[in-house]
Amino acid sequence: MESQPSRQSGRYTFEEAISRESPTALTKSNSDAAAAASSQSLSSILNNPHVAKSDWWWYSSSSSSLAPPEFAPLISKASSELTRSDFSTYFSSISDSYHRFEDIRNHSTKDLESSASDSQGHGGEALVACLREVPALYFKEDFALEDGATFRAACPFSTAAENLVLQEKLTQYLDVVELHLVKEISLRSNSFFEAQRQLQDLNVEIVEGCSRIRELKETIRLLDVDLVDSARQVQHLNATRTNLLALHHKFNLILYVKQSLSALKLLVASGDCAGALDITDDLQNLVDGDELTGLHCFRHLRDNVAASIESINSILSAEFMRAAIQDAGNSDVVILSQVKARASIPTNGKDDDVNLDEEETTNFRDCLLPIIIGLLRTAQLPSVLRIYRDTLTADMKNAIKNAVAELLPVLLARSESEFSPGERTVDADGGGASLASKLRSLSSESFVQLLSAIFKIVRAHVVRAAEVKKAIEWIMKNLDGHYAAESVATAIALGAAAAETSEDHDDQGSSLLPFSSQRAARVSSFQGKANDATSPSNMSINFSTDVLRENTEAVVAACDAAHGRWAKLLGVRALLHPRLRLQEFLCIYNITQEFITATEKIGGRRGFSIRGTLNSQAKAFLDFQHDSRMAKIRAVLDQETWVEVDVPDEFQAIVISLCSSEALISENLDHVQNNVETNHGEVIAFNDGSLVEDTVQGKPTPLAEAANKNKASLAHSNDNKMKEHGKSTSQTLSYKGVGYHMVNCGLILLKMLSEYIDMGNFLPLRSSEVVHRVVEILKFFNTRTCQLVLGAGAMQVSGLKSITSKHLALASQVISFIYAIIPDIRRILFLKVPETQKELLLSEIDRVAQDFKVHRDEIHTKLVQIMRERLLVHVRGLPQIVEGWNRPEDADAQPSQFARSLTKEIGFLQRVLSRILHDVDVQEIFRQVVIIVHSQVSEAFSRLEISTPQAKDRLYRDVKHILGCVRSLPSDDLSRSSTPNWGQLDEFLEQRFGTKAG
């Protein structure tokens, strides 16, 4: 490290020292410097690493004196002539050597100071200085001259002279390092000897401590002999006694386990599951504890206990299945025998429901109570209920299958005796050997009997399943105050703990062990606290919920199985049911609806699958019936001759029912509502808020009974009214006091509409489709009637020679009747239509009603048009008739042929229309006829040329004759209050013949 001495210490650089001297002094100092230089040590000069031998001035051959070559120009000058600038060359040449000299001197001073400080505890700085002087290359750990790079860095010489200089450098480095090492050793010598002295003192103290330890050991040995040996012997004997007692306890425990295993086998063999479970509880507690740990003889005890528990579960499961299912199977034989005995006699009404009385219910619950408690203790009740669900479902399917197999031959024989060979239904497959073909061969009545028998069997099974469900729910939730309440609560807690542990074992892939240490801990807590057992933990609540869920699912699964089998039976005959009569189909529909209602009431859930099947068959029935009726009404209309027919009483009863339906519905609405609220067997409310109607086969509803009574009373009153009016009920069809003349197609349409109404009432889910079908058939009837009558299509299809006014009048009556009853039909049909569809259906049926009204008006217009055409025909022949009036020999006092023919046809039309049409319609038609006659006849007479008095008399007679006919026509238009049917012809008469004549 090169540092300049500070000015405060009195040291200056060589240049500064020269600059401070005078020239004389400078000369003197030069001579002094030369003397000092000669007195320097040769080793110091030779050790200068920065000066080569060629630079040593005393070796230079060119120099003749000892002065350096830089001083040669100065020798010739006087002292007064020398300046500082004359020495600049010399200063520049020796500045580096001087600076190094100052550094060495500074280091020497610092070494002295560091030696003093090291003596005071600050050693080591000399070594740091040494490291600064010697290059770091020589202090590297991996320094090796064998390495090429290291050798080139340490020995960068190329000549012998450079090699000598390097040797001098290395020698100087070695001297520096040795010097500083000696200094450091000397600085640390005092500490070393002090440590050696302390180590010797420590050795002396250790020797003294060992001797004292030997003395203490001897003292302790003497104390053990005198005081401790006797007490230690007592302690040893006490430990031996404790071990012997523990061994005795182990032997007693082994004996107890052996006896328990023997008793467990006997109890399992005898079926005493409760006692066996108590023993398994104790053994399981021992297995889960550490009392039997290390006893090789009991290494299989856990497996033996598990096997015993499995046997107990098997026994309990078998007893539960026997009590829940097998006892219910005995009723199937009784039901089948009863149905076989009554197969030849149709049954009326319903058999009594299969229900247990209070005593039987109590006995049944007492029978299930120990079984359920045992299954709860082993946590097997949920799994047993799942097995019970599968078994119950299979048993339900087998019961239905056996019932069909046993009853089908009997019912098939009855069906064969009822039908003649020509009436037998032939299957599509062409054979009768399969079960499906036999079912299709049954008559509808026999099939209903088969469904009734299956219904009874299913009801017996589901009622039994419902009793099992109620018993389990009673045991799980409603045992407050019962003697077994504590046992059930404890069993639920044990089962919950066992179920929780079984889940852990299942996660680990191990075998199911019904009992565990957790269960053992809960046994003591629940046995010690009876009150705590009645308030179960969350785990107990979850376990109870699982049990109740599986309990409910078993009954639901049984009902679903029954629904599936029933739906299959309906599906086999899916092609036959649409072709049945309405009453036959309703028998099947009603018993199916009753079956669905009963099973849903027990199961508590809606049977969507069987309801879908029933609705699909109802839709197919409605579609087929509608198609057949459309084909029938088309054929009837094509064969219609538009001749008036008598009206049978059954059609009048249909009309009466239409009139009285509104009153009957409002009268019996409260009665039906009360039945819905009080009789839970007729309507079932589900969780989703929907209602299921309970229709009973063969049992009329209160509304139907009231309707029949009111029909009879209304029919009697209407008969009296008709007799008062002098009209026979066999000639007209009376509706709200108005009689209508009917033709065959109108009566058939009325019958069809009545059947559609029945379909809508008995098939409420298809009410919207029924309205669509009614609209469709009404549209077709109206359109086809218009084509046949107004369009004269009946002349081609029915063979009519012409379409007369009578035909038109009868068609008007039929159209008017249908138009009149459409509001009542709409009101009745819309009783079962959902509110969301009413608006659209109302618009459709209103459009149909408007079409009927337009059709009726067109018929009336057609009648007026016919009269106009006839009048024009007569008017065209009038000029020829008038030519004979001017002859003088014409003395006929009668009206002309024109007037007689015209009044004859008008009178005939009046007689036909007045007998068939209503007075209002007749007046409306003849009001237009009167206007036409006035205008056409007056215009025709005005064009005539009358020149002779005879012609005027004939004209006067014709006008008076025609006016006499016009005055007699029923018209609702009175131009003058005193003169009926006044018109243009009256004005013509006054103009030609005066006011007196008019």
Side-chain angles (χ1 to χ4, degrees):
M1 179 178 184
E2 297 180 356
S3 61
Q4 299 295 333
S6 62
R7 298 183 183 269
Q8 289 78 4
S9 60
R11 300 186 180 90
Y12 301 96
T13 60
F14 186 72
E15 295 86 345
E16 292 173 346
I18 295 299
S19 64
R20 285 179 177 269
E21 297 294 336
S22 61
T24 306
L26 182 61
T27 304
K28 184 178 180 180
S29 62
N30 287 336
S31 61
D32 293 339
S38 62
S39 62
Q40 290 292 333
S41 174
L42 284 176
S43 63
S44 300
I45 296 173
L46 293 176
N47 286 335
N48 186 359
H50 300 289
V51 180
K53 287 184 177 182
S54 60
D55 297 331
W56 293 349
W57 51 268
W58 55 84
Y59 283 115
S60 178
S61 58
S62 61
S63 181
S64 59
S65 64
L66 296 176
E70 292 84 358
F71 291 164
L74 301 177
I75 296 175
S76 61
K77 290 184 179 183
S79 301
S80 60
E81 296 177 358
L82 293 176
T83 61
R84 181 179 175 84
S85 59
D86 296 333
F87 296 94
S88 58
T89 304
Y90 174 73
F91 288 159
S92 61
S93 63
I94 68 170
S95 59
D96 292 339
S97 300
Y98 178 75
H99 288 317
R100 183 163 184 77
F101 169 75
E102 286 292 332
D103 288 340
I104 293 173
R105 188 173 63 177
N106 292 336
H107 288 317
S108 299
T109 304
K110 193 177 291 185
D111 288 342
L112 295 176
E113 293 175 356
S114 63
S115 298
S117 63
D118 289 342
S119 63
Q120 298 176 0
H122 298 282
E125 294 183 1
L127 290 178
V128 175
C130 177
L131 292 176
R132 285 196 297 266
E133 295 180 9
V134 180
L137 174 66
Y138 300 100
F139 294 101
K140 289 184 178 180
E141 295 182 359
D142 56 349
F143 179 79
L145 288 176
E146 294 84 358
D147 185 17
T150 304
F151 182 80
R152 286 190 296 271
C155 304
F157 56 86
S158 58
T159 62
E162 291 178 355
N163 188 13
L164 292 176
V165 173
L166 179 60
Q167 290 179 5
E168 291 295 332
K169 285 183 180 181
L170 294 179
T171 303
Q172 182 183 354
Y173 294 158
L174 181 60
D175 293 341
V176 172
V177 172
E178 288 177 353
L179 176 62
H180 287 294
L181 284 177
V182 171
K183 288 181 180 180
E184 291 295 328
I185 291 172
S186 64
L187 291 175
R188 288 168 174 79
S189 60
N190 294 333
S191 300
F192 172 75
F193 291 111
E194 180 64 22
Q196 184 178 11
R197 184 184 61 78
Q198 291 178 359
L199 184 61
Q200 292 175 355
D201 294 340
L202 179 61
N203 189 19
V204 173
E205 292 178 359
I206 290 174
V207 172
E208 292 178 357
C210 291
S211 62
R212 291 185 62 187
I213 289 172
R214 283 194 296 271
E215 293 176 359
L216 289 175
K217 283 185 177 181
E218 182 63 22
T219 304
I220 291 172
R221 186 183 64 78
L222 296 176
L223 292 175
D224 286 341
V225 174
D226 297 337
L227 301 176
V228 179
D229 284 348
S230 59
R232 188 170 56 188
Q233 185 177 7
V234 172
Q235 182 182 7
H236 176 70
L237 293 176
N238 187 30
T240 303
R241 178 180 178 276
T242 302
N243 293 335
L244 292 176
L245 289 176
L247 182 60
H248 183 266
H249 175 71
K250 285 288 184 181
F251 282 126
N252 289 335
L253 183 62
I254 293 171
L255 178 62
Y256 170 76
V257 172
K258 182 179 179 181
Q259 292 176 351
S260 298
L261 289 175
S262 301
L264 180 61
K265 292 180 181 179
L266 294 176
L267 291 174
V268 171
S270 62
D272 187 359
C273 297
L277 286 176
D278 292 337
I279 295 178
T280 56
D281 287 343
D282 297 337
L283 293 178
Q284 192 65 44
N285 292 335
L286 294 174
V287 171
D288 294 333
D290 55 356
E291 297 183 64
L292 300 181
T293 302
L295 295 179
H296 187 68
C297 59
F298 292 140
R299 63 185 182 279
H300 300 301
L301 180 59
R302 186 184 297 274
D303 297 335
N304 294 335
V305 173
S308 300
I309 293 174
E310 290 179 0
S311 301
I312 294 171
N313 289 333
S314 300
I315 295 173
L316 292 174
S317 177
E319 291 181 356
F320 178 80
M321 296 298 175
R322 179 190 58 77
I325 295 180
Q326 295 180 5
D327 292 343
N330 298 330
S331 61
D332 296 350
V333 180
V334 178
I335 295 174
L336 291 176
S337 61
Q338 292 176 355
V339 174
K340 288 180 181 179
R342 293 181 296 176
S344 58
I345 304 175
T347 58
N348 296 322
K350 289 171 51 180
D351 291 341
D352 295 334
D353 292 338
V354 183
N355 291 322
L356 300 179
D357 55 20
E358 184 176 357
E359 183 179 357
E360 291 177 344
T361 302
T362 303
N363 294 334
F364 182 67
R365 290 177 176 178
D366 293 339
C367 177
L368 285 181
L369 181 59
I371 301 175
I372 298 301
I373 291 177
L375 292 173
L376 286 174
R377 292 177 63 179
T378 59
Q380 293 299 306
L381 185 56
S383 60
V384 170
L385 287 176
R386 286 190 286 270
I387 298 173
Y388 165 68
R389 177 187 62 194
D390 298 337
T391 307
L392 181 62
T393 302
D395 184 71
M396 181 73 72
K397 294 179 180 179
N398 292 331
I400 297 174
K401 181 178 179 180
N402 295 334
V404 173
E406 293 189 21
L407 293 179
L408 190 57
V410 179
L411 297 175
L412 191 59
R414 181 189 174 192
S415 299
E416 292 176 353
S417 64
E418 289 180 352
F419 292 100
S420 60
E423 295 175 342
R424 292 297 305 275
T425 302
V426 180
D427 279 329
D429 55 5
S434 65
L435 180 63
S437 62
K438 291 179 180 179
L439 288 172
R440 285 190 287 266
S441 300
L442 290 176
S443 63
S444 60
E445 182 181 358
S446 299
F447 184 67
V448 170
Q449 286 188 351
L450 177 62
L451 293 180
S452 178
I454 294 174
F455 185 12
K456 295 174 185 177
I457 293 174
V458 170
R459 184 167 52 196
H461 282 264
V462 296
V463 165
R464 186 70 172 184
E467 291 295 334
V468 175
K469 175 187 173 184
K470 293 178 182 178
I472 294 176
E473 290 177 349
W474 173 77
I475 293 171
M476 296 295 294
K477 298 189 296 186
N478 300 321
L479 277 180
D480 296 338
H482 196 269
Y483 70 91
E486 182 179 353
S487 299
V488 172
T490 304
I492 291 174
L494 295 176
E500 187 73 17
T501 305
S502 65
E503 292 179 0
D504 297 338
H505 281 288
D506 290 339
D507 294 337
Q508 297 174 0
S510 60
S511 61
L512 177 63
L513 296 178
F515 298 99
S516 66
S517 58
Q518 297 179 4
R519 180 190 170 193
R522 294 184 180 273
V523 170
S524 59
S525 62
F526 277 94
Q527 287 180 349
K529 297 180 181 180
N531 293 331
D532 293 342
T534 59
S535 56
S537 62
N538 292 333
M539 189 162 50
S540 299
I541 294 175
N542 295 335
F543 179 69
S544 300
T545 303
D546 189 17
V547 171
L548 295 176
R549 182 180 64 253
E550 295 295 340
N551 185 31
T552 303
E553 290 295 330
V555 182
V556 173
C559 294
D560 290 342
H563 290 169
R565 292 295 177 176
W566 192 286
K568 284 186 178 180
L569 292 175
L570 294 179
V572 169
R573 294 171 56 89
L575 298 178
L576 301 178
H577 290 168
R579 295 177 171 81
L580 297 177
R581 295 191 299 271
L582 178 60
Q583 295 302 323
E584 294 175 343
F585 180 79
L586 285 179
C587 290
I588 299 175
Y589 183 87
N590 290 339
I591 193 173
T592 303
Q593 189 67 47
E594 182 185 359
F595 171 78
I596 294 173
T597 303
T599 52
E600 286 179 344
K601 175 186 174 183
I602 296 174
R605 294 185 188 175
R606 293 178 65 87
F608 293 102
S609 60
I610 190 172
R611 284 185 178 277
T613 302
L614 183 61
N615 290 334
S616 64
Q617 292 208 0
K619 183 179 184 304
F621 173 80
L622 181 60
D623 293 340
F624 179 82
Q625 296 296 324
H626 175 69
D627 293 340
S628 63
R629 281 164 176 76
M630 289 291 292
K632 181 178 179 180
I633 197 66
R634 182 182 292 107
V636 169
L637 286 172
D638 291 343
Q639 297 175 5
E640 181 62 58
T641 58
W642 302 99
V643 177
E644 183 180 0
V645 296
D646 293 336
V647 179
D649 294 338
E650 62 171 319
F651 295 97
Q652 187 62 53
I654 293 174
V655 175
I656 294 173
S657 66
L658 293 178
C659 297
S660 60
S661 60
E662 182 177 6
L664 292 175
I665 291 169
S666 61
E667 178 182 351
N668 293 278
L669 183 61
D670 296 336
H671 177 67
V672 174
Q673 183 66 26
N674 292 334
N675 288 340
V676 169
E677 294 175 354
T678 57
N679 190 355
H680 63 275
E682 294 182 359
V683 175
I684 300 172
F686 290 93
N687 294 331
D688 56 1
S690 59
L691 296 178
V692 179
E693 297 181 0
D694 184 13
T695 55
V696 181
Q697 176 192 0
K699 182 179 179 180
T701 60
L703 182 61
E705 293 177 353
N708 292 332
K709 294 180 181 179
N710 290 338
K711 280 182 183 179
S713 62
L714 289 174
H716 181 68
S717 63
N718 287 335
D719 288 342
N720 294 334
K721 292 180 181 178
M722 293 174 188
K723 290 178 181 178
E724 291 176 0
H725 289 337
K727 293 184 179 181
S728 173
T729 57
S730 61
Q731 293 181 357
T732 59
L733 186 61
S734 179
Y735 177 73
K736 293 184 178 181
V738 179
Y740 295 87
H741 295 270
M742 299 299 293
V743 296
N744 186 42
C745 63
L747 295 178
I748 292 177
L749 179 62
L750 176 62
K751 179 67 174 177
M752 290 181 180
L753 292 176
S754 174
E755 292 173 349
Y756 278 113
I757 291 174
D758 292 338
M759 289 186 222
N761 290 333
F762 291 109
L763 304 175
L765 296 179
R766 308 256 74 87
S767 57
S768 301
E769 298 180 16
V770 170
V771 175
H772 281 294
R773 303 301 188 273
V774 170
V775 170
E776 184 178 351
I777 198 170
L778 288 176
K779 284 183 178 179
F780 175 78
F781 182 84
N782 187 47
T783 303
R784 188 58 179 164
T785 302
C786 182
Q787 294 172 354
L788 293 174
V789 179
L790 288 178
M795 298 176 63
Q796 286 78 27
V797 298
S798 301
L800 295 180
K801 295 180 180 180
S802 63
I803 303 298
T804 64
S805 59
K806 185 176 182 180
H807 295 155
L808 292 172
L810 289 173
S812 174
Q813 281 283 278
V814 174
I815 296 300
S816 299
F817 172 74
I818 300 301
Y819 174 73
I821 66 174
I822 282 178
D824 288 330
I825 293 175
R826 179 185 61 187
R827 184 184 64 255
I828 297 172
L829 290 177
F830 275 59
L831 293 176
K832 303 289 181 68
V833 175
E835 291 294 334
T836 56
Q837 302 179 8
K838 280 187 177 181
E839 184 177 358
L840 177 62
L841 296 178
L842 277 173
S843 62
E844 291 185 5
I845 202 168
D846 288 343
R847 283 196 297 269
V848 173
Q850 184 64 25
D851 293 341
F852 272 87
K853 182 177 181 300
V854 172
H855 187 189
R856 183 194 63 184
D857 296 340
E858 289 177 352
I859 293 176
H860 295 171
T861 304
K862 183 66 175 178
L863 290 171
V864 175
Q865 183 181 357
I866 290 174
M867 196 64 242
R868 179 187 292 111
E869 292 175 354
R870 294 304 304 164
L871 177 59
L872 293 176
V873 171
H874 291 294
V875 169
R876 283 195 295 267
L878 183 62
Q880 290 80 9
I881 297 174
V882 173
E883 289 179 358
W885 289 357
N886 294 324
R887 299 171 187 174
E889 64 274 9
D890 187 7
D892 188 5
Q894 298 293 328
S896 65
Q897 181 65 29
F898 166 75
R900 291 196 304 270
S901 299
L902 179 60
T903 56
K904 181 180 178 180
E905 290 187 5
I906 293 175
F908 177 78
L909 180 64
Q910 179 187 0
R911 289 192 300 272
V912 172
L913 298 184
S914 298
R915 189 181 66 83
I916 298 176
L917 296 181
H918 301 148
D919 294 341
V920 177
D921 296 335
V922 174
Q923 291 175 4
E924 174 66 22
I925 292 172
F926 279 99
R927 180 179 62 81
Q928 301 180 41
V929 171
V930 167
I931 294 173
I932 293 172
V933 170
H934 276 293
S935 62
Q936 296 294 333
V937 173
S938 62
E939 183 180 357
F941 283 163
S942 298
R943 292 195 301 266
L944 296 177
E945 295 180 359
I946 305 299
S947 59
T948 62
Q950 296 87 351
K952 289 183 179 181
D953 292 340
R954 297 296 299 270
L955 177 61
Y956 178 77
R957 286 194 299 268
D958 284 357
V959 172
K960 293 294 288 185
H961 183 75
I962 293 172
L963 286 176
C965 178
V966 171
R967 298 282 189 272
S968 64
L969 293 179
S971 175
D972 57 356
D973 184 19
L974 296 176
S975 60
R976 291 185 181 181
S977 59
S978 59
T979 305
N981 298 330
W982 175 271
Q984 295 179 5
L985 192 58
D986 293 284
E987 295 176 354
F988 172 80
L989 182 62
E990 289 182 357
Q991 292 175 0
R992 285 292 184 96
F993 301 100
T995 305
K996 184 177 180 180

